[in-house]
């Protein structure tokens, strides 16, 4: 049974208000991708050809495409949230994930105003990244100011509040990660008491091995030691595959292969959020990939999204946030990513 009702009122409202924008974006994806002129646009069965043929249902669930605003930090800082949200509405986005609530030279903004701006542009604030800990007792982190972090998330109406910090606060031993996991459980309990989910976003280091037990993968410690009802995960797909490249062998050289998708398929309820971030395979790079705009790389997002959303009851249970850490042009990245993801359709 799905954890999200098939008659999700927020989703119904967005799709009605925006004239089934997710479907419309899929129809316009060919034009957008054609203008971009990227290799992904010409890829057989993954871009304009599949979309134009109209074969198979869309891979991307309606109403579930978001973007991590860190990718647009240059525009938020110089233009402010309002112009950025207006662009995202045009590109067919449904949700936004915050990476801070300030807008630089555009001037101060209240959380109430920020929430209204998002709503006015048909965008749902779905989550936010906040630091895990700091040596500064006044820092805006979970460890130092949990109540304030949760107050702000609640004011924005967020369903998820999390951190992109790894659980390395006490080191990389098994016991160090158990200790961090207990703190995550505490944050998760506090978030749940307010109707939210606490989550952790991975980079590649989480898939490394414990310094005191090289047979143990640290990510497995995190999963095992956190309460599945309190602590959730946002898989950054790019960094997960970078982790696979870096840590497919233990320090002694023995094979330790893993498939990031398998983690999700085993416990889909623990992964409400994803970062959709692409990369071109490059074995000479320390991470095995060079980050590129979504649709320009080698990561098979049709396969990944399809595998998750085909699970019984999971079609609308996840949120997919496009991201690029350092895009060449951030609005172009946002436009191309939306067009590519809306163009993907299931194979017949």
């Amino acid at each position: 049974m799905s954890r999200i009702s098939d008659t999700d009122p927020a989703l119904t409202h967005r799709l009605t208000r925006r004239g089934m924008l997710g479907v419309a974006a899929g129809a316009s994806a060919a034009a957008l991708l054609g203008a971009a002129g990227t290799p992904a646009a010409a890829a057989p069965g993954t871009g304009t050809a599949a979309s134009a043929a109209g074969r198979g249902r869309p891979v991307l669930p309606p109403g579930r495409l978001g973007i991590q605003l860190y990718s647009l930090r240059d525009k938020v800082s110089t233009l402010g949230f309002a112009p950025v949200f207006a662009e995202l509405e045009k590109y067919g986005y449904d949700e936004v994930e915050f990476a801070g609530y300030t807008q630089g030279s555009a001037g101060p903004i209240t959380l109430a105003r920020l929430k209204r701006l998002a709503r006015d542009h048909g965008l749902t604030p779905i989550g936010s990244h906040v630091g895990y800990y700091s040596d500064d007792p006044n820092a805006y982190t979970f460890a130092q100011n949990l109540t304030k972090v949760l107050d702000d998330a609640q004011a924005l109406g967020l369903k998820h509040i999390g951190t992109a910090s790894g659980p390395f606060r006490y080191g990389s031993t098994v016991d160090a990660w158990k200790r961090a996991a207990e703190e995550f459980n505490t944050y998760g309990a506090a978030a749940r008491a307010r109707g939210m989910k606490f989550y952790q976003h991975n980079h590649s280091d989480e898939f490394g091995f414990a310094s005191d037990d090289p047979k143990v993968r640290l990510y497995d410690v995190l999963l095992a030691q956190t309460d599945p009802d309190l602590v959730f995960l946002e898989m950054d797909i790019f960094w997960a595959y970078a982790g696979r490249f870096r840590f497919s062998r233990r320090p002694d050289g023995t094979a330790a292969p893993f498939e990031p998708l398998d983690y999700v398929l085993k416990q889909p309820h623990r992964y409400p959020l994803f970062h959709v971030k692409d990369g071109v395979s490059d074995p000479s790079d320390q991470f095995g990939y060079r980050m590129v705009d979504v649709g320009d790389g080698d990561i098979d997002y049709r396969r990944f999204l399809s595998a998750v959303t085909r699970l019984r009851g999971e079609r609308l249970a996840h949120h997919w946030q496009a991201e690029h850490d350092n895009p060449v042009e951030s609005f172009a990245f946002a436009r191309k990513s939306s067009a590519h993801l809306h163009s993907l359709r299931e194979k017949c």
Side-chain angles (χ1 to χ4, degrees), residues 204-221:
S204 62
D205 287 338
E206 286 89 335
F207 296 96
F209 299 96
S211 58
D212 61 334
D213 190 346
K215 294 182 180 180
V216 175
R217 195 179 301 278
L218 288 170
Y219 196 68
D220 295 335
V221 177

Side-chain angles (χ1 to χ4, degrees), residues 298-309:
D298 299 322
I299 297 176
D300 188 349
Y301 280 106
R302 180 169 62 182
R303 169 180 171 267
F304 199 101
L305 271 77
S306 293
V308 176
T309 58

